[in-house]
């Protein structure tokens, strides 16, 4: 949620911290702060709002400093304010801490520390860590942080610096991602690889209950009891373009236009000698054929990809499939047997609820398979197998290209299950695969002229509310379309199975009320058309997403957004691109920051 960056080495630290924060700003952006080591003490600056405000406030700060920590915040405990912005400091100001996660026992620790005379300046859970480290500090920062972490309950990625230890950072992790790397100029630490120096491609992903001490001489690692450890170094291919807009007005637009590539790369290597290959699943055809229940667990947009997959798995493999919001699943008592397959879908691979839900499912004996975009993320590591979606770094908070990667990956999984159940033949699979691959070109076609989508969006931009309706697999797409609109334009939007309209929602329809109807050619096309007319006759403004060549729909819709003809099961791929663009054009017309919508965070690493 929040973003952390730290550096110690030979270069001026201020620019490294500010640039790192800018790259991390997509994670949280209500306030930001830095602490830079200076011989006379730590220089700490906080500002509410964007990193640009902090940069301005630091204009004449940080001279000569080559060691420091920084943070961009997404508020959980304590409203966005300068006092609540990180870094948090000890009573004497000589220890500073940045933190991602939630310290669950902070209230109890705060009481204890108050009783011992510590004075608190903020309402945050994090501040207890600064005072705890101060309490344990006897000239060895690493030892003090080790002692402090033993007292913490909850999740933390921590970076700590101390005025009494020149050129030193101490890092600790539990359930919140921390990556580190070294180059000729020094050591870098961040909550996300994107904030590490661009030439670092060998990274250390700290594991739970591990700590590190960073100095200009390098990094040393230990466990909570001080035992030396040798963490794994992972080589990653860095995409140096990943955090640049590349000529697009915003990251969301850039990422929407990347979708044909995502489809191609996600499918690359999946058809081997005429057979579907998902070898990462690590289950034989026989084992797959025993699966008699599938749970798809996810949050947000990833959950919507799951709703689409339910239609495919049940349709092709006839395996009962439930799609569950991770935060619900983890507190239920789901029916899991050894023949249950749990599929966790998560762009970031770090979403706290999804992670907790799969740990629980594994304990109960399920085989857990992940679909994620981030190599070596926590969810990838904790699963029995993983498909990577090849979307590459997604910066815009509203998910677009990684959703498409998820839908394509889930489609492959559904095909494989269909085949293993003997319900799809090899020749059917080959034909379906070709058609699935064709969606890349079809998305390109949609992207080549978006003028009608933009016109429809401008017609709806002043609405206060909108409905998205569809049937079958199209109703699943509608949930995602409505979420996109809510997230980035702050326009209220709801999705309904079209048949439900007359059971309540239709009461809200009035003149000019936008009803986005997904009415592509499918077995339920005519039924959807009737629902569209019910809204039309009550004055709704109809925006219909329809199949190219459908002339009839023009009679009822105010705007028709055409998509190329595809197999009904693959329509989510093309239709969702149209709905993403529709939401984005509305958001831009309403003057919203589409990449950084208010109150949202890219990766929700707290419960
Ligand atoms: C946040 C993001 C959404 C995302 C959801 C699940 O709410 O803003 O875009 O869909 O988390 O994230 P995940 O990384 O697990 O897919």
């Amino acid at each position: 949620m929040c973003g952390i960056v730290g550096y110690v080495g030979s270069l001026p630290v201020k620019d490294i911290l500010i640039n790192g924060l800018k790259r991390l700003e997509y994670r949280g952006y209500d306030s930001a702060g830095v602490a830079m080591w200076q011989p006379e003490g730590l220089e700490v600056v906080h500002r509410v709002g964007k990193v640009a405000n902090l940069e301005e406030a630091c204009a004449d700060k940080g001279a000569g400093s080559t060691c420091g920590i920084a943070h961009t915040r997404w508020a959980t405990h304590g409203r966005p304010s300068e006092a609540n912005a990180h870094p948090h400091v000890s009573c004497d100001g000589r220890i500073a801490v940045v933190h991602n996660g939630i310290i669950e026992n902070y209230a109890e620790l705060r009481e204890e520390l108050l009783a011992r005379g510590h004075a608190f300046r903020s309402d945050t859970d994090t501040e207890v860590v600064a005072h705890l480290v101060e309490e344990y500090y006897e000239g060895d920062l690493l030892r003090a942080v080790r002692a402090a972490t033993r007292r913490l309950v909850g999740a933390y990625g921590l970076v700590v610096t101390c005025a009494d230890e020149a050129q030193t950072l101490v890092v600790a992790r539990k359930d919140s991602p921390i990556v580190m790397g070294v180059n000729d100029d020094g050591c870098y630490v961040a909550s996300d690889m994107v904030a590490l120096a661009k030439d670092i491609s060998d990274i250390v992903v700290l594991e739970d209950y591990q700590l590190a001490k960073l100095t200009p001489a390098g990094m040393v690692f230990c466990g909570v009891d001080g035992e030396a450890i040798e963490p794994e170094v992972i080589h990653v291919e860095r995409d140096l373009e990943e955090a640049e807009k590349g000529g697009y007005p915003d990251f969301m637009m850039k990422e929407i236009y990347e979708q044909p590539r995502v489809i191609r790369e996600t499918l690359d290597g999946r058809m081997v000698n005429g057979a579907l290959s998902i070898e990462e699943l690590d289950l034989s055809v026989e084992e797959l054929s025993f699966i008699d229940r599938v749970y798809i667990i996810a949050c947000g947009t990833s959950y919507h990809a799951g709703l689409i997959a339910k239609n495919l798995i049940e349709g092709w493999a006839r395996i009962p499939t439930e799609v569950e919001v991770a935060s619900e699943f983890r507190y239920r008592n789901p029916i899991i047997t050894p023949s249950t397959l749990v599929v966790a879908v998560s762009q970031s691979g770090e979403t706290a609820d999804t992670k907790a839900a799969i740990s629980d499912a594994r304990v109960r004996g399920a085989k857990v398979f992940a679909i994620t975009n981030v190599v070596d993320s926590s969810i990838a590591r904790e699963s029995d197998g993983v498909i990577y979606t090849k979307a590459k770094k997604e910066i815009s908070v509203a998910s677009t290209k990684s959703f498409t990667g998820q839908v394509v990956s889930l489609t492959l999984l559904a095909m494989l299950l269909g085949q293993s159940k003997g319900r799809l033949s090899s020749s059917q699979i080959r034909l379906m695969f070709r058609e699935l691959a064709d969606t890349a070109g079809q998305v390109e076609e949609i992207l080549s002229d978006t003028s009608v989508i933009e016109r429809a969006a401008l017609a709806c931009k002043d609405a206060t509310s909108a409905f998205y309706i569809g049937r079958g697999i199209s109703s699943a797409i509608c949930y995602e379309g409505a979420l996109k609109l809510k997230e980035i334009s702050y326009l209220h939007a709801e999705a309904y199975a079209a048949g439900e309209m007359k059971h309540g929602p239709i009461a809200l329809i009035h003149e000019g009320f936008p009803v986005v109807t997904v009415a592509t050619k499918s077995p339920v096309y005519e039924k959807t058309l009737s629902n569209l007319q019910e809204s039309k006759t009550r004055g709704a403004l109809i925006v219909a997403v329809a199949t190219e060549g459908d002339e009839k729909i023009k009679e009822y819709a105010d705007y028709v957004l055409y998509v190329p003809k595809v197999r009904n099961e693959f329509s989510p791929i093309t239709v969702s691109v149209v709905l993403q663009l529709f939401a984005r054009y509305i958001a831009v017309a309403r003057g919203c920051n589409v990449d950084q919508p208010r109150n949202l965070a890219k990766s929700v690493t707290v419960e």
Side-chain angles (χ1 to χ4, degrees):
M1 314 213 59
C2 312
I4 285 178
V5 55
Y7 169 79
V8 53
S10 56
L11 298 176
V13 74
K14 184 175 77 179
D15 292 347
I16 293 175
L17 296 180
I18 297 288
N19 289 334
L21 287 185
K22 283 184 180 166
R23 288 175 161 254
L24 286 173
E25 205 172 16
Y26 74 101
R27 291 184 66 103
Y29 30 78
D30 60 45
S31 53
V34 292
M36 296 173 282
W37 193 93
Q38 296 286 11
E40 60 280 6
L42 300 176
E43 201 174 18
V44 182
V45 186
H46 299 127
R47 279 296 176 274
V48 171
K50 305 271 178 199
V51 173
N53 299 351
L54 179 71
E55 184 175 24
E56 207 181 303
C58 287
D60 56 354
K61 302 274 194 317
S65 178
T66 56
C67 171
I69 57 178
H71 189 267
T72 175
R73 178 168 187 251
W74 186 88
T76 54
H77 292 64
R79 66 186 180 86
S81 68
E82 274 187 24
N84 289 335
H86 301 214
H88 289 285
V89 295
S90 54
C91 296
D92 60 8
R94 298 191 72 75
I95 288 164
V97 174
V98 288
H99 166 225
N100 280 3
I102 289 181
I103 307 299
E104 288 169 9
N105 60 337
Y106 85 100
E108 162 195 333
L109 290 170
R110 190 177 160 115
E111 282 305 308
E112 176 187 322
L113 290 157
L114 281 169
R116 293 181 65 83
H118 289 263
F120 281 75
R121 302 176 185 86
S122 77
D123 307 319
T124 65
D125 53 329
T126 302
E127 195 181 346
V128 296
V129 182
H131 295 284
L132 256 188
V133 176
E134 179 176 42
E135 190 68 23
Y136 292 118
Y137 187 70
E138 289 172 345
D140 182 341
L141 186 62
L142 178 58
R143 182 183 282 265
V145 175
R146 276 204 290 115
T149 56
R150 274 201 287 263
R151 303 288 316 280
L152 303 179
V153 176
Y156 52 81
L158 291 169
V159 188
V160 188
T161 188
C162 173
D164 300 318
E165 290 188 37
Q167 301 288 82
T168 304
L169 301 180
V170 171
V171 184
R173 162 194 164 133
K174 181 180 171 274
D175 288 333
S176 186
I178 287 283
V179 294
M180 285 169 287
V182 183
N183 66 9
D184 292 344
D185 305 316
C187 300
Y188 297 74
V189 53
S191 49
D192 185 322
M193 212 163 56
V194 76
L196 298 181
K198 287 185 175 178
D199 62 345
I200 295 178
S201 46
D202 288 329
I203 61 161
V204 171
V205 181
L206 210 61
E207 291 191 12
D208 285 351
Y209 305 109
Q210 293 183 340
L211 293 96
K213 180 173 173 174
L214 278 54
T215 65
M219 315 192 282
V220 289
F221 302 91
C222 67
V224 268
D225 295 322
E227 71 283 13
I229 51 170
E230 203 54 61
E232 193 189 346
V233 177
I234 297 164
H235 183 77
V236 286
E237 295 299 331
R238 297 287 298 274
D239 179 355
L240 300 185
E241 301 296 311
E242 68 195 6
E244 316 290 338
K245 287 184 195 155
Y248 289 94
D250 43 70
F251 283 110
M252 184 176 183
M253 196 62 151
K254 178 188 173 212
E255 289 162 0
I256 288 173
Y257 273 78
E258 277 181 67
Q259 293 178 108
R261 175 195 61 72
V262 175
I263 298 169
R264 290 191 178 104
E265 291 185 13
T266 303
L267 292 178
D268 194 29
R270 294 297 178 191
M271 188 55 83
V272 180
N273 299 328
L276 203 54
S277 158
I278 311 184
E279 55 194 31
E280 306 93 314
L281 193 52
D282 203 21
L283 285 177
S284 65
V285 173
E286 204 199 343
E287 284 172 306
L288 281 173
S289 69
F290 284 121
I291 292 171
D292 59 8
R293 181 193 297 268
V294 176
Y295 280 111
I296 302 178
I297 307 173
C299 304
T301 288
S302 303
Y303 170 76
H304 296 149
L307 292 180
I308 290 164
K310 172 185 166 75
N311 286 270
L312 305 183
I313 297 173
E314 292 190 340
W316 291 334
R318 310 300 297 152
I319 305 174
T321 301
E322 290 185 46
V323 192
E324 296 230 16
V325 169
S327 55
E328 291 295 317
F329 181 87
R330 64 183 288 195
Y331 294 114
R332 287 202 315 108
N333 187 10
I335 301 162
I336 290 179
T337 68
S339 50
T340 303
L341 176 67
V342 168
V343 182
V345 187
S346 173
Q347 184 285 127
S348 62
E350 301 294 347
T351 300
D353 283 319
T354 311
K355 205 174 129 193
I358 62 168
S359 307
D360 186 50
R362 283 187 78 176
V363 170
R364 290 163 181 263
K367 188 95 178 162
V368 176
F369 191 70
I371 292 181
T372 180
N373 194 31
V374 181
V375 176
D376 265 312
S377 54
S378 303
I379 289 172
R381 282 164 171 243
E382 285 172 29
S383 298
D384 299 301
V386 54
I387 297 184
Y388 289 115
T389 49
K390 310 286 172 57
K392 295 193 179 164
K393 188 88 203 163
E394 191 174 62
I395 299 283
S396 181
V397 167
S399 190
T400 53
K401 61 175 181 171
S402 53
F403 171 75
T404 295
Q406 291 168 347
V407 172
V408 172
S409 304
L410 286 162
T411 303
L412 289 175
L413 181 64
M415 284 161 61
L416 189 74
L417 291 170
Q419 191 176 30
S420 68
K421 290 283 181 188
R423 294 182 170 271
L424 292 176
S425 68
S426 301
S427 59
Q428 276 174 305
I429 292 277
R430 281 196 292 276
L431 174 66
M432 288 163 78
F433 189 87
R434 274 201 301 280
E435 290 180 17
L436 184 58
D438 285 346
T439 60
Q442 287 154 349
V443 170
E444 267 163 356
E445 208 178 299
I446 293 168
L447 294 174
S448 67
D449 180 4
T450 62
S451 54
V452 184
I453 304 176
E454 188 169 9
R455 278 207 300 281
L458 292 180
C460 299
K461 78 173 175 50
D462 296 321
T464 49
S465 194
F467 283 156
Y468 284 66
I469 61 169
R471 283 174 176 257
I473 206 162
S474 298
S475 77
I477 313 171
C478 286
Y479 287 102
E480 175 55 13
L483 178 67
K484 283 285 90 75
L485 191 63
K486 279 187 264 213
E487 281 183 302
I488 61 172
S489 73
Y490 316 139
L491 200 162
H492 173 254
E494 289 305 327
Y496 287 99
E500 276 293 290
M501 279 298 277
K502 41 187 169 314
H503 297 290
I506 206 163
L508 293 173
I509 299 287
H510 54 74
E511 202 61 36
F513 189 110
V515 176
V516 179
T517 311
V518 179
T520 46
K521 280 288 160 63
S522 77
V524 286
Y525 170 78
E526 296 292 342
K527 306 277 174 207
T528 310
L529 219 54
S530 314
N531 300 127
L532 182 158
Q533 289 172 61
E534 289 158 9
S535 297
K536 181 74 190 162
T537 51
R538 287 162 180 85
L541 187 154
I542 304 289
V543 176
V545 184
T547 306
E548 236 161 42
D550 179 356
E551 292 296 320
K552 186 167 155 194
I553 199 148
K554 286 185 177 165
E555 292 170 31
Y556 312 105
D558 297 277
Y559 295 88
V560 182
L561 314 180
Y562 282 116
V563 291
K565 191 167 176 2
V566 285
R567 183 186 286 263
N568 183 39
E569 289 91 339
F570 299 159
S571 63
I573 299 169
T574 48
V575 173
S576 58
V577 174
V578 171
L579 298 185
Q580 292 162 359
L581 285 162
F582 179 70
R584 183 203 165 271
Y585 283 127
I586 291 185
V588 170
R590 288 165 71 92
C592 302
N593 178 340
V594 295
D595 287 336
Q596 296 182 342
R598 70 181 178 216
N599 303 341
L600 298 179
K602 181 73 189 158
S603 172
V604 179
T605 49
V606 294
E607 202 180 325

